[in-house]
Amino acid sequence: MTVITFITPDGMSRDVEAETGMSVMQVAKRAGIDGIIAECGGEMVCATCHVFVRSEELLDRLPPRSAIEEDMLDFTSEPRRSGSRLSCQIPISDRLAGLVVEIPGTQV
Ligand code: FES
């Protein structure tokens, strides 16, 4: 079991247990995290699962963005930053223990 921390736009944080094999989006939806809308269910066509990865030390453990993810990050409700990812494209693994992601304020 891996613990992920979600930071809401008002600065509150919530630790959520995540199972290997789920995506960060699925973990957020199951835990009822506001702001992870995920209209497309992980098909990479909505960009409403956008997060800002705050754990810079873990960035190189994330799978690289695909070309489609790169394109979709141009359509997020809040402008992308260096740590922007679609949370449906981040699979949970033990290597991501302690991952911290921030929810964009425009998605809440
Ligand atoms: Fe739609 Fe991630 S859930 S792009």
Side-chain angles (χ1 to χ4, degrees):
M1 197 72 77
T2 301
V3 174
I4 297 176
T5 301
F6 292 91
I7 306 288
T8 58
D10 60 4
M12 302 294 287
S13 69
R14 183 170 161 200
D15 294 342
V16 176
E17 290 188 345
E19 294 173 26
T20 299
M22 296 180 77
S23 69
V24 171
M25 176 275 280
Q26 290 170 321
V27 171
K29 294 294 285 184
R30 188 177 68 177
I33 302 291
D34 283 342
I36 300 295
I37 302 161
E39 287 174 344
C40 76
E43 297 297 320
M44 229 181 349
V45 294
C46 74
T48 60
C49 65
H50 180 206
V51 294
F52 303 119
V53 175
R54 281 198 174 178
S55 311
E56 291 188 14
E57 73 283 6
L58 297 179
L59 284 175
D60 63 353
R61 297 187 184 184
L62 302 179
R65 296 181 190 94
S66 66
I68 297 172
E69 184 178 357
E70 288 284 359
D71 287 347
M72 290 305 297
L73 286 170
D74 291 335
F75 297 98
T76 54
S77 61
E78 191 157 320
R80 69 187 288 176
R81 302 179 196 160
S82 60
S84 284
R85 294 298 305 255
L86 297 179
S87 59
C88 67
Q89 300 303 306
I90 305 175
I92 301 299
S93 74
D94 291 345
R95 289 171 43 85
L96 294 184
L99 182 71
V100 179
V101 299
E102 178 184 346
I103 311 296
T106 54
Q107 281 173 203
V108 176

